[in-house]
Structures are given as C-alpha cells and as structure tokens.
Amino acid sequence: MKFEYDIIVVGAGHAGSEAAHTAATLGSKVLLITMDMTKIAQMSCNPAMGGVAKGQIVREIDAMGGMSGIVTDKTMIQFRMLNSSKGPAMWSPRAQSDRTKFSLEWRKALEENPNIEFWQDAVTGLVVNGHRVEGVHTQMGLRFYAKKVILTNGTFENGLMHIGSTQLQGGRMSEPASYGISKQLAEAGLEVGRMKTGTPARIDGRSVDFSKLEEQKGDTEGGNFSFLNKKIKTNHSCYIAYTSDLVHDILKEGFDKSPLFNGTIDGVGPRYCPSIEDKLVKFADKKTHQLFLEPEGLDTHEMYLNGFSSSLPWDIQYKALRSIVGFENAKIFRPGYAIEYDYYSPTQLLHTLETKAISNLYFAGQINGTTGYEEAAGQGLIAAINAHLSIQEKEPFVLARDEAYIGVLIDDLVTKGVDEPYRMFTSRAEYRILLRQDNADERLTPKAFALGLAKNERIENLNKRLKEKSDLIFKIENFSVKPSEINSYLVEKETSEIKQQIKLVDIAKRPQINLYELLNNTPGFLNSINNNETFKDICENAEIQIKYSGYILREKLLADKIQRLENILIPKDILFDDLKSISTEGRQKLTKIKPSTLGQASRIPGVSPSDINVLLIYLGR
C-alpha cells in the first residue's frame, strides 16, 4: 500500500501545527507526523505568547489567517500590552496562556480540518531521489510519499538534555529524541550545527509565599491577538521576585559541575534569554536579577519561574531557589535543564524556506536556528504557503522587510545566517512604524485573502474597520471646537489653551492628548458618530495615523526607494568569483548565500556598498 499526500509536515510544534493548518486550509492534502499526539503545539518553555516584536508576529500570523492568535485568545489567562508608555511602534501584546488548554485547542483546530491526516511515529529519514525529496520513512518502517516535505523538528533532532553532570537523550523532558535526518542531510552536503536552549525548574505554587512577591496584574480592560475577536478580560496575576547575593553564591557552588562551563555543552545558547548561571558570569557586577513567576494554567498549581533557567545540578538549583525571598519553603515538580539539538544553517534556504540543495524540502522553526514559539509559527506559515503554491505551479509568496516582521525574520535568516539562536526584536526592523501590531490586518489580510487563506469574514471585518477609521479621521479633521468648550480639559492635561476656534485634529496631534479621551471631552462630537463597542480600538488606530503621519510617510518613501534594489534580479548562473572588482570577502559571501536580488545582496554582512555598485554596473544598471 502506498501512502501519498501533497505535503508531509514532520513535527507538530508551533511551526508544524501552523504549517499543517495553513497548507490544509489552502487545499493541500496534508499528513502531520508527530511522535506524541498529546503534545501538539506544546509550550515547552514559558506558557506565554507574544512579547516585544513577538506579539507583532502573532498578530501578523492571525492577519494571514493562521491559528496562533485564535488559540491564544481561547486559552488566555492574562493579557498585557508591553511598552505602552512608548511610541506605537514599540507596543507589543503579550498573553499568558493555559498550557494544557493551548495544546488541546490546537489539536482540536487541526482535527477539525478535513484535509489533515495524522500519524504518530518518529521520522528517521527522507526519501530522496537525486536532489529531490519524495517522502519520508519512519521508525515503524513505513514510507509516506509527498510532493513536498516540511521539516519542523524543533529541539528533537539529536536532542541531548543536561542537568549538572547528568545527560539524558530526548527532545523534551521524558520525551525521546529523533535520529537519522541530520546524518542524511549532512551527507547530502547541508551544513549542520548545534545549538542550546534551556528551561527553569517548575514550582509548586502551593509552597510559595505570594505575600513576599510583587503582584503583576494584567491590563484591566484585557486584550486580544486575533482581529476576529473583541478584547477578552482576564484577571489572573503573575508575580515578580528577585535574586540576591546569597542566591548567587549558592549557584556559584555548582559552577564546576555546570555543563555550560566545563565544556560538556557544545551548542551555542541564546544571548537574550541566558541561563541564570550565564547571567552571573556575563553580568558579574549586577547584585540582583528580576524573576517572573507565571502560572501554567487555571487548573494546576504548577508555575514557571521565568529568568531562572539552569543546567546546574538539581540540588544546587533547589538550594538556590529556596534562598529567594518568598520561596523559602518552595517545592519543585522538576528541575531546570539545558538541551542541545541540531540545526541547519538557514543561509542554505531560499526566501520560500525551501532548501537550495534539495528541492521540495522546506525547513521551519528551531531547526533554522531560531528561538521562540512565535518565530517558529511564522516560518511554518510561510513554508506551507510556498509549498502549496509550488504544487500549484504559482509564483512564490515572500513578505518584504517593510511588509511584516515575518519578512524581516526570514530575510535575516537566509541572508545573514545565525551564530546563536535568533530572537526577533523591534530593533531588527528598519520600518518599525509601518510594522505595528495594530495594523497587521491592513498590511497582510488582503494578501491572505488573495491567496485563499483569509476568509470572507476577515476581509469584511477589515473593510468595516478601515471605513470606520476613515470616517472618524474625516470627522475629526472637519470638526471645530471653541475655547469655552475645550480649554478646561486642556488645562487638566497640562497643555496650552486655545484662544480661538480651531479644528479638533490640531488638538489631537498634541503629545499630551489621548484621542479617545479627547473625543469624550468634546461637546457634541460623540453624538455625530458611530460610537460602538470597538470605538476605542478605532480611536487608537486613528490617533496613530493622525500623530505619526509624517513618520509613516517618510518610512514608506524610504521603503519604496530600497524596494527598487529588490526588483533587480541576479541571474542564478552568475559566477561572482569572476567579478574581480568585488572584494574578496564580498565574492566569498555572495557565492555562499547566492542572493536572488540586489536588495538581498546589499544586506549580506561583508558585502560593501562598492560591491553593490559593481553588481549594478555588471547588471547594466
């Protein structure tokens, strides 16, 4: 019996789940293979989605018709808008989720899709014919065939966990690792490396003295990730604790047995999410480190101590933990550990996430050297779209750097590569004011609708919101206020009074003024508009457009200018070594990356502006 599919997705983490759902929604017949059906979209680390730049990615996935935002909203137990005191380009939504319910909701969403079939097994190799993948074979001895294969192995490929001197093979605690694929791909010429990540001990919340910790509540008005949902109110708190010199001294007792310091661990760890022992070395002068105690769910006492990841011996972890104020009697469900795993240099990929060496084979998630659920899910979405489009013999789908954080992410990976686990930050994007969390649907839903991924409900919601915003801005621009009507409010907001009647928009532009509040303090204004339950969100979006229109226009002009380089294609058969006017480093980097456009070439580290000028002349530009 021959099992044949359009697309096989290997792994059901965040990348695999989003990939399977996306491809199936587009109409491909999908087989999702996972080693454990009870761990679909498992939150291996902290039970939260979003955060700085990551929240923007989740909203982009949702705007594209993906499921990460919808599942997060269904399982949310706390919502916070980070950086709300800063400019709108920095606002980043973050939600604490119920870990168990998150996985169950994802499984439900996948099982409800009629184009997805499942198989619980370990994939041990690929069926490759020449330089083309044709399927996979599994630990049980089965072969499955497909036109495309998407690998989303996460931390499971040759996964090795470390707790002090103890080593355990596996991709997650109590879950087996996967073997075979890395060796096969290395033999096929792909560059394979090792990376490392970690996780903290899980705490029994019943043993914590919360009265000694700082309570961190969510936003009172709640929030949401999916553009299909209204704001969801939650009231479950997180808590803040701090390390001390005593805690640090205890942790240092285990440094000689730390696999991070004694050479046991070869993999490179994440710079921006280091283990607690790594923090003590890198920030030796810092007397205390902030920790966040986060609930794992509503129906469990298990809690996650964010900021206390460790691979130290379990008894050192336990002793240090009990020296933290509020944790004097703490009990743990399991210790923290580090995990090493195989990844593949992402410069070996096209922007579609298809490998250059083996056609029809796509990579997504941590095996590309990234870290984070959100980055993985974004890659899964793009890999699936392109795998489906390729089967249909349609043009590939690539998001530019001025269109989405997902576009920045993928371009960084395939153009610059990684030497440590990649994490998205707002600072990585040069068009931050264009890539806000509030306008992800404006940027991406029309594209998703054209693909067939976003349904009518999404495009109708978008068009309705855009009209409401446009009508509101038009009204503000044409509504006048008198000094007697508004000056008392202006005094209250500590901004200058007006001396004559002016347009309301001129007051709305002031930095001290919140538009929603202003409209509620402008006599007669609310009586003349549609003040519905989503009005506050419309105001927020309109306020950004009013106050930042100059910045937005400037970034759009800059993006359009840079886009001209993106439109200049580089021939696939070009021999960069023959262009002696290009620097030696430039020729080496161009030959390795094989950029498809001049824009991509300009972003490769080591390729200088003069090298780009040589290419321009060579290409007749």
Side-chain angles (χ1 to χ4, degrees):
M1 181 180 238
K2 190 173 184 180
F3 302 97
E4 295 182 290
Y5 299 86
D6 292 320
I7 298 172
I8 292 174
V9 178
V10 180
H14 297 264
S17 295
E18 204 67 73
H21 182 270
T22 299
T25 301
L26 287 171
S28 284
K29 183 181 178 184
V30 177
L31 175 65
L32 178 58
I33 304 179
T34 175
M35 292 193 292
D36 190 343
M37 287 286 293
T38 68
K39 299 294 195 305
I40 288 175
Q42 174 81 339
M43 290 176 144
S44 305
C45 216
N46 63 319
M49 290 290 282
V52 177
K54 292 169 174 282
Q56 283 87 328
I57 290 177
V58 178
R59 297 217 95 189
E60 290 175 354
I61 292 169
D62 182 74
M64 287 293 299
M67 286 299 299
S68 291
I70 292 173
V71 172
T72 300
D73 286 353
K74 287 184 176 181
T75 60
M76 184 191 303
I77 59 178
Q78 189 197 75
F79 180 90
R80 293 173 62 221
M81 184 66 75
L82 306 184
N83 293 330
S84 56
S85 62
K86 300 180 180 179
M90 304 297 289
W91 298 349
S92 302
R94 183 186 188 274
Q96 198 74 21
S97 286
D98 187 303
R99 181 192 301 276
T100 302
K101 291 179 181 177
F102 187 92
S103 181
L104 289 173
E105 284 294 338
W106 249 116
R107 177 168 178 168
K108 181 180 178 182
L110 293 171
E111 288 186 349
E112 287 178 348
N113 194 312
N115 285 332
I116 300 177
E117 294 183 17
F118 302 84
W119 185 256
Q120 182 169 299
D121 202 348
V123 171
T124 54
L126 304 172
V127 179
V128 179
N129 184 1
H131 295 286
R132 185 178 71 253
V133 72
E134 295 183 344
V136 302
H137 50 82
T138 74
Q139 193 173 51
M140 292 185 189
L142 281 79
R143 285 199 174 202
F144 298 95
Y145 294 87
K147 299 168 186 173
K148 309 286 178 180
V149 174
I150 303 174
L151 291 185
T152 68
N153 302 45
T155 60
F156 283 81
E157 191 62 27
N158 290 328
L160 182 64
M161 294 175 287
H162 301 267
I163 307 172
S165 58
T166 301
Q167 294 183 355
L168 303 169
Q169 293 181 340
R172 251 187 322 245
M173 185 60 74
S174 302
E175 296 181 51
S178 177
Y179 303 97
I181 295 178
S182 289
K183 183 175 183 295
Q184 182 184 8
L185 291 177
E187 291 172 350
L190 272 75
E191 180 185 341
V192 184
R194 294 286 277 177
M195 281 194 174
K196 167 256 175 188
T197 188
T199 192
R202 301 307 198 271
I203 313 298
D204 186 340
R206 295 170 296 183
S207 63
V208 176
D209 186 349
F210 293 99
S211 67
K212 296 181 180 180
L213 307 182
E214 295 178 20
E215 186 175 11
Q216 185 183 54
K217 295 184 177 181
D219 293 352
T220 54
E221 61 185 20
N224 59 292
F225 272 105
S226 178
F227 289 97
L228 296 178
N229 294 331
K230 296 180 176 64
K231 287 186 176 180
I232 301 163
K233 292 186 178 181
T234 60
N235 58 7
H236 218 69
S237 294
C238 296
Y239 297 86
I240 300 174
Y242 297 90
T243 61
S244 63
D245 284 335
L246 174 60
V247 177
H248 297 175
D249 289 341
I250 295 171
L251 291 168
K252 290 174 183 177
E253 292 176 12
F255 275 17
D256 61 328
K257 295 180 181 179
S258 168
L260 189 65
F261 300 137
N262 63 21
T264 304
I265 290 179
D266 296 322
V268 180
R271 180 191 312 183
Y272 303 105
C273 189
S275 63
I276 187 64
E277 58 264 34
D278 205 15
K279 289 180 186 177
L280 299 189
V281 173
K282 290 180 177 177
F283 309 103
D285 297 334
K286 197 166 184 180
K287 298 298 183 182
T288 184
H289 292 278
Q290 195 174 51
L291 307 173
F292 297 89
L293 186 63
E294 304 169 340
E296 296 263 339
L298 297 177
D299 300 318
T300 178
H301 294 289
E302 187 173 356
M303 303 193 80
Y304 182 95
L305 190 58
N306 202 340
F308 206 71
S309 295
S310 180
S311 59
L312 290 169
W314 77 268
D315 55 330
I316 295 292
Q317 293 185 44
Y318 193 46
K319 183 179 177 183
L321 175 68
R322 284 195 155 204
S323 299
I324 299 171
V325 174
F327 293 80
E328 293 85 356
N329 298 307
K331 297 179 181 179
I332 63 174
F333 289 155
R334 60 185 180 279
Y337 60 89
I339 180 168
E340 287 184 281
Y341 55 93
D342 286 352
Y343 84 101
Y344 307 94
S345 176
T347 57
Q348 302 169 108
L349 302 174
L350 301 169
H351 276 80
T352 59
L353 297 183
E354 183 180 16
T355 63
K356 298 173 183 176
I358 303 175
S359 62
N360 301 331
L361 178 63
Y362 298 74
F363 291 167
Q366 281 182 279
I367 64 168
N368 285 337
T370 62
T371 180
Y373 312 140
E374 303 84 358
E375 291 90 339
Q379 293 171 68
L381 178 101
I382 297 301
I385 290 173
N386 282 297
H388 174 83
L389 290 176
S390 181
I391 292 172
Q392 303 298 317
E393 298 183 350
K394 294 181 179 179
E395 288 296 310
F397 180 79
V398 175
L399 291 171
R401 296 180 71 90
D402 64 324
E403 292 179 319
Y405 271 94
I406 296 173
V408 175
L409 163 68
I410 293 175
D411 186 64
D412 277 355
L413 292 176
V414 304
T415 301
K416 301 175 183 178
V418 295
D419 53 15
E420 62 185 39
Y422 180 101
R423 180 179 179 181
M424 179 53 74
F425 290 101
T426 51
S427 58
R428 296 191 189 272
E430 54 269 62
Y431 308 112
R432 291 186 289 277
I433 195 67
L434 299 181
L435 308 182
R436 307 184 311 275
Q437 55 84 31
D438 66 284
N439 72 344
D441 58 340
E442 295 179 34
R443 292 183 276 121
L444 299 177
T445 296
K447 294 177 182 293
F449 186 72
L451 287 169
L453 192 53
K455 304 306 179 187
N456 287 334
E457 182 184 6
R458 284 190 179 275
I459 203 71
E460 289 170 1
N461 278 358
L462 172 62
N463 291 335
K464 180 174 179 289
R465 189 167 77 90
L466 289 177
K467 185 179 186 309
E468 289 179 351
K469 182 178 75 169
S470 177
D471 290 347
L472 178 61
I473 293 174
F474 179 82
K475 184 70 175 177
I476 292 169
E477 290 174 339
N478 291 277
F479 194 94
S480 298
V481 289
K482 299 175 182 177
S484 60
E485 296 173 327
I486 202 70
N487 275 347
S488 60
Y489 170 70
L490 297 180
V491 170
E492 179 186 328
K493 302 307 293 183
E494 298 181 349
T495 183
S496 58
E497 300 175 62
I498 61 174
K499 297 180 180 179
Q500 61 188 25
Q501 181 172 300
I502 66 172
K503 297 294 184 184
L504 190 60
V505 68
D506 293 322
I507 297 176
K509 289 178 180 179
R510 297 185 182 186
Q512 304 92 337
I513 298 299
N514 172 275
L515 182 61
Y516 178 72
E517 195 177 82
L518 171 65
L519 300 184
N520 277 280
N521 283 274
T522 301
F525 187 90
L526 294 184
N527 296 332
S528 60
I529 62 169
N530 179 21
N531 185 6
N532 58 32
E533 57 183 311
T534 61
F535 179 63
K536 191 171 184 179
D537 293 334
I538 301 296
C539 281
E540 182 179 281
N541 201 235
E543 181 175 8
I544 292 169
Q545 187 166 321
I546 290 170
K547 288 184 175 179
Y548 297 91
S549 57
Y551 297 100
I552 293 170
L553 178 60
R554 186 173 66 182
E555 281 202 357
K556 282 182 177 178
L557 291 174
L558 178 60
D560 290 343
K561 184 178 180 180
I562 299 298
Q563 186 62 36
R564 296 171 196 165
L565 290 179
E566 302 294 346
N567 294 331
I568 301 176
L569 300 178
I570 298 176
K572 292 182 180 179
D573 58 353
I574 188 172
L575 298 175
F576 295 107
D577 282 335
D578 291 346
L579 304 179
K580 301 304 181 184
S581 297
I582 295 178
S583 66
T584 300
E585 183 183 9
R587 293 198 304 271
Q588 291 172 346
K589 293 292 182 68
L590 290 166
T591 299
K592 179 181 179 181
I593 305 298
K594 296 182 177 63
S596 58
T597 70
L598 210 58
Q600 185 189 357
S602 70
R603 293 188 294 276
I604 298 174
V607 177
S608 68
S610 62
D611 294 334
I612 297 301
N613 284 334
V614 172
L615 281 172
L616 274 168
I617 294 169
Y618 175 78
L619 296 172
R621 299 302 181 100

